[in-house]
Amino acid sequence: MRTRTLPIALTAAIALSIAAAGQVPALAAADGPALTVDTTTGRHPISPYIYGMNFADEALTKELRLPVRRWGGNATTRYNYLYDTSNRASDWYFENIAEDNADPSKLPDGSTTDRFVEQDRRTGTDTILTVPLIGWVPKGRDASCGFSVAKYGPQQQTDQWRPDCGNGVKPDGTKITGNDPHDTSVEAGAAYVKDWIGHLTGRYGTASGGGVKFYNLDNEPDIWHSTHRDVHPEGASSVELRDKAYLIGAAVKAADPGAKTLGPVGWGWSSWDYSGLDQETCGRTNCWSNPPDKEARGGLPFTTWYLRQMKKYEDEHGLRVLDYFDEHFYPQASGVAFGSGGDPATDALRLRSTRALWDPSYTDESWINTQVRLIPRMKELVAAEYPGTKTAITEYNWGALDHINGALAQADILGIFGREGLDLATLWGPPTASQPGAYAFRMYLNYDGEGGRFGETAVGATSADQGKLAVYAAERASDKALTLVVVNKTGDDLTSEVAVKGRDGGATAQVYRYGAADTSAIRRDADVQVGAGGFTGTFPANSISTIVIPAGTGPSPSPSPSASPSPSPSSSPTPAATCTVTYAVTNQWPGGFQAGVRIVNRGTAAVKGWQLGWTYGNGQTVTQLWDGSYTQSGSKVTVTNAGYNATIAANGGSVTFGFLGRWDNGANPAPQQFTLNGSPCATS
């Protein structure tokens, strides 16, 4: 690529040069890949839950209006809310460690998890808590440990502050076996989980009433034999993982029917094909081509079998005990996950390796050494084996969050999550508010410091070279602005033509920058004039740009055509209606479909609290819905607002929600009539 010779300051000053498409100033030579944004294609809801974190602090959570926060990790597998104590497993000498608590005499009130939920309630954030499947929790606030030196003999390592607590490995390198789980723990099963959730709902209400919304079915149970081997030294078999998911999933639903569960929460890539028993055995004997648990699954990969078993349970019991298919994923290439920024080779690898999340042409550059395409793989698997199940990645980390390289990767990842239709994600090891990684989130959730956010409906966005410039685009419901995030992954300023399709008429776009030139703040750059065909802009080296294009004078685009084999008819608009509803089938497969709905308030007064009703004409049923709650009686469906989207602003304000449904494979026509709080709406 040609090296630009302009001084850095001058280059920044002319970034995103004001020019309609086809009127390119001489200095802005188009040496970057062409970008195309098309508002008529690729339209689907972006789940707000993709922007989550584990254990984010309150100030950052509040600033970002973080949609979801997870309490997870190894220590949460064995946590006892009655004593506010967790066993730290192999992370720290298998010790019971009491959480800091101002008044333990009041427990279980005021526990760490209570305070976690209370923080989330203060910031309007939904909570994910981890419930145990392992069957053990600490027996008290007693500082006991799994491998006492006094009881089990000398060990290779001991805790310098508690020298009786060892790592469970003898001086000759062999593992201690036959220890007693009761040294640290007591049995805990379905009754314990029900009691805990009963405590939570008693204090904070049910999931549908503002309480805890999500529960992880443990944490990485396929490696209990490593992390929690003091109580579970054998690898967990497929049948054990299934049966415990049945038991605890049903307990969660019995205690709070509106709560959502996530599983199997595997640790990473090996979790797709292998159970814990497979991983523990083959890790010792190299039996990966013929693992011991394969026959119990009928030869199937573990996740395929697991989802089939979850569907079988619902078919037999009429109860869904798994709502989200959740697998953790950390890049396995050397130096990437949790690594530092600044090494050119590792930095380049970090930016390339995000392609493992989606790209079928990318072979993972690690021991995985195959085409991962993680999110499409997840969505295809649930569509084939358990339709209606959502997808989640509750732990991931691409590293270098304290460096601009990690921020670029994180911004790319958030864009990929939205474009590929992931339903939920929570970053493990979140950045501090001042670190570059936090600014990657700000570019989507608070780019202007005043709550400006990326849109909620993804639209088509492509780059001629995603490895240089990645582009993501979405339409915002509140003002119909088109929002773009462009990530320049190179060390050069890149000037590209940005075609904008599906809108006509001009607009003045706002431009916000974050990059290597100043990692301490987001900068508001000069506005850019967007012509009928788009604009030409220069994107600084190693930077993230958020561009906000108002609706302008052109008409708003209609949703892209449904994937349905039959067209979705709509009724003629009713001029007197003070609301308009757009209903679009965005994806469809045998027996199932996904749809998005947009409600526009055409009245002069805000709608505060809403219910949207419609009637299906061909036997369709809603199976799962986000950004609201629903009931269905026969063919009649009623959707009620969530707490965060209860108000629809006057004079064109809007809200959106999406859902999954079932159909009979014959025809899937759109409903003909909608009512908002009992009054008829026009359709579009």
Side-chain angles (χ1 to χ4, degrees):
M1 182 180 109
R2 179 173 59 82
T3 302
R4 301 186 65 79
T5 57
L6 293 174
I8 292 175
L10 179 57
T11 302
I14 67 168
L16 271 175
S17 303
I18 299 174
Q23 297 177 334
V24 184
L27 290 177
D31 56 359
L35 307 180
T36 301
V37 175
D38 189 343
T39 63
T40 68
T41 65
R43 294 178 68 86
H44 64 265
I46 296 175
S47 169
Y49 292 128
I50 63 171
Y51 305 111
M53 298 182 185
N54 286 259
F55 297 105
D57 68 48
E58 185 164 0
L60 183 59
T61 299
K62 182 178 180 180
E63 179 204 338
L64 296 176
R65 292 182 291 160
L66 203 70
V68 65
R69 195 170 69 114
R70 176 176 180 258
W71 183 82
N74 291 336
T76 63
T77 286
R78 284 155 68 193
Y79 168 81
N80 192 330
Y81 79 103
L82 296 168
Y83 303 113
D84 198 19
T85 297
S86 63
N87 187 282
R88 302 306 170 88
S90 60
D91 291 346
W92 195 258
Y93 299 100
F94 305 93
E95 294 178 20
N96 284 353
I97 297 180
E99 304 289 343
D100 292 336
N101 193 294
D103 190 355
S105 67
K106 293 182 178 179
L107 290 171
D109 292 344
S111 68
T112 298
T113 46
D114 279 7
R115 299 196 302 273
F116 191 95
V117 175
E118 288 163 6
Q119 174 183 314
D120 287 345
R121 288 166 66 84
R122 289 192 296 270
T123 59
T125 303
D126 285 328
T127 302
I128 305 173
L129 292 182
T130 301
V131 292
L133 271 65
I134 198 169
W136 299 95
V137 294
K139 63 184 182 180
R141 291 175 71 88
D142 62 354
S144 58
C145 50
F147 297 104
S148 162
V149 173
K151 187 171 183 178
Y152 299 110
Q155 296 166 51
Q156 279 189 340
Q157 297 178 19
T158 59
D159 181 355
Q160 60 180 314
W161 293 286
R162 295 183 186 175
D164 187 50
C165 295
N167 68 346
V169 181
K170 296 177 183 179
D172 64 3
T174 60
K175 294 178 180 178
I176 293 171
T177 59
N179 63 294
D180 184 358
H182 292 99
D183 290 345
T184 59
S185 304
V186 293
E187 290 83 356
Y192 169 86
V193 170
K194 288 180 183 177
D195 288 345
W196 185 12
I197 296 177
H199 164 78
L200 293 166
T201 57
R203 286 179 66 88
Y204 310 115
T206 62
S208 61
V212 177
K213 191 164 187 175
F214 301 102
Y215 292 96
N216 257 142
L217 299 178
D218 215 291
N219 177 79
E220 301 180 354
D222 55 319
I223 55 171
W224 282 338
H225 59 273
S226 174
T227 52
H228 293 274
R229 64 183 178 82
D230 59 322
V231 298
H232 203 294
E234 303 84 16
S237 71
S238 300
V239 170
E240 179 186 359
L241 293 172
R242 176 198 67 188
D243 290 350
K244 287 188 171 180
Y246 285 172
L247 180 69
I248 302 305
V252 170
K253 298 294 184 174
D256 188 351
K260 304 301 181 184
T261 56
L262 304 89
V265 207
W267 76 267
W269 182 244
S270 298
S271 309
W272 277 77
D273 291 341
Y274 303 105
S275 68
L277 177 59
D278 292 334
Q279 294 179 60
E280 190 269 326
T281 304
C282 297
R284 291 184 287 103
T285 65
N286 199 32
C287 61
W288 301 107
S289 62
N290 188 30
D293 218 13
K294 185 176 181 179
E295 185 176 350
R297 301 190 297 268
L300 294 171
F302 172 71
T303 49
T304 302
W305 178 87
Y306 178 89
L307 287 170
R308 285 189 186 180
Q309 298 298 302
M310 296 300 110
K311 183 179 186 300
K312 180 181 177 183
Y313 185 95
E314 182 179 6
D315 291 343
E316 293 177 350
H317 297 83
L319 176 68
R320 175 182 274 273
V321 294
L322 181 75
D323 298 293
Y324 284 75
F325 173 48
D326 179 13
E327 290 283 74
H328 295 169
F329 189 81
Y330 292 97
Q332 297 296 295
S334 178
V336 176
F338 303 106
S340 301
D343 173 71
T346 304
D347 287 355
L349 176 58
R350 176 173 291 111
L351 295 176
R352 286 196 309 273
S353 64
T354 62
R355 293 167 60 190
L357 292 168
W358 66 276
D359 189 351
S361 70
Y362 179 70
T363 298
D364 192 88
E365 299 171 74
S366 73
W367 60 265
I368 294 176
N369 193 34
T370 193
Q371 294 75 38
V372 175
R373 48 186 301 274
L374 185 70
I375 300 171
R377 184 185 295 266
M378 296 179 82
K379 293 174 72 67
E380 290 164 4
L381 186 60
V382 298
E385 305 299 342
Y386 196 8
T389 306
K390 295 187 179 183
T391 52
I393 304 171
T394 54
E395 285 188 24
Y396 71 93
N397 187 301
W398 252 256
L401 292 171
D402 59 350
H403 189 276
I404 186 60
N405 180 252
L408 299 176
Q410 185 62 51
D412 195 30
I413 289 164
L414 295 176
I416 292 167
F417 286 168
R419 185 191 66 196
E420 298 297 319
L422 187 69
D423 294 300
L424 186 150
T426 49
L427 171 68
W428 181 263
T432 64
S434 62
Q435 288 181 326
Y439 285 94
F441 279 84
R442 288 184 178 105
M443 295 302 279
Y444 287 90
L445 301 180
N446 191 20
Y447 55 78
D448 58 0
E450 298 179 358
R453 297 171 86 84
F454 193 63
E456 308 93 339
T457 300
V459 301
T462 57
S463 170
D465 188 342
Q466 179 105 351
K468 293 180 178 178
L469 282 184
V471 59
Y472 306 98
E475 188 177 85
R476 193 162 59 199
S478 60
D479 57 2
K480 301 193 179 56
L482 180 61
T483 57
L484 281 61
V485 168
V486 180
V487 183
N488 185 346
K489 303 177 183 180
T490 78
D492 297 296
D493 298 344
L494 297 178
T495 299
S496 295
E497 293 189 13
V498 184
V500 179
K501 299 180 179 180
R503 293 191 172 195
D504 50 11
T508 301
Q510 299 173 354
V511 180
Y512 298 86
R513 304 276 199 206
Y514 180 76
D518 181 3
T519 59
S520 66
I522 296 170
R523 184 181 75 243
R524 171 76 185 270
D525 264 6
D527 291 347
V528 59
Q529 295 301 315
V530 181
F535 63 96
T536 299
T538 297
F539 302 94
N542 295 308
S543 71
I544 310 163
S545 300
T546 297
I547 303 163
V548 184
I549 305 174
T553 59
S556 296
S558 299
S560 58
S562 165
S564 169
S566 301
S568 297
S570 60
S571 62
S572 299
T574 302
T578 58
C579 52
T580 302
V581 174
T582 301
Y583 177 106
V585 174
T586 56
N587 195 9
Q588 192 162 277
W589 55 91
F593 68 96
Q594 179 174 330
V597 177
R598 181 172 179 236
I599 310 168
V600 179
N601 177 14
R602 303 296 185 189
T604 57
V607 175
K608 297 183 178 180
W610 54 265
Q611 284 192 335
L612 186 73
W614 71 81
T615 301
Y616 278 123
N618 209 41
Q620 301 100 316
T621 57
V622 177
T623 59
Q624 197 163 20
L625 184 140
W626 51 94
D627 296 328
S629 58
Y630 78 96
T631 59
Q632 183 165 357
S633 177
S635 60
K636 295 182 178 180
V637 178
T638 302
V639 178
T640 303
N641 62 266
Y644 54 81
N645 64 0
T647 299
I648 312 178
N651 301 315
S654 64
V655 295
T656 59
F657 62 87
F659 64 91
L660 297 172
R662 293 189 180 125
W663 65 304
D664 64 3
N665 299 325
N668 188 15
Q672 295 291 305
Q673 296 180 335
F674 295 86
T675 60
L676 181 64
N677 293 344
S679 298
C681 292
T683 58
S684 65

